[in-house]
């Protein structure tokens, strides 16, 4: 039988792209994200978004990008 976390303390740098959407999704799933004494601690150490050109139109304008989102975290 799976064990579900009901309390998670979130911690991240101020410029994290992930923390707000993550907190919203956890709240929608019924997880309490208030910082309480008894909670699993999830720290977003670093998150980065990079893009790489995949193809171009004949006039040199970019047609496609590859988006690369990386997250380093600690639980």
């Amino acid at each position: 039988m799976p064990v579900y976390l009901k309390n998670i303390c979130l911690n991240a740098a101020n410029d994290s792209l992930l923390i707000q959407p993550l907190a919203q999704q956890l709240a929608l799933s019924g997880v309490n994200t208030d910082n309480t004494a008894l909670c699993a601690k999830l720290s977003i150490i670093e998150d980065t978004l990079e893009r790489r050109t995949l193809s171009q139109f004949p006039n040199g304008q970019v047609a496609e990008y590859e988006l690369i989102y990386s997250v380093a975290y600690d639980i």
Side-chain angles (χ1 to χ4, degrees), residues 3-71:
V3 175
Y4 298 102
L5 295 174
K6 294 295 181 187
N7 297 305
I8 296 179
C9 296
L10 298 175
N11 183 24
N14 291 337
D15 59 346
S16 174
L17 300 171
L18 182 62
I19 198 71
Q20 185 178 17
L22 177 60
Q24 290 173 344
Q25 288 300 313
L26 288 170
L28 289 172
S29 298
V31 176
N32 180 11
T33 57
D34 294 334
N35 288 336
T36 60
L38 298 173
C39 63
K41 296 183 184 345
L42 173 60
S43 298
I44 306 299
I45 299 166
E46 180 182 20
D47 60 329
T48 57
L49 177 62
E50 299 174 41
R51 69 179 186 181
R52 185 173 73 169
T53 302
L54 287 182
S55 64
Q56 295 179 329
F57 293 115
N59 65 0
Q61 183 181 5
V62 175
E64 298 180 282
Y65 288 109
E66 176 182 25
L67 299 177
I68 305 160
Y69 189 73
S70 302
V71 179

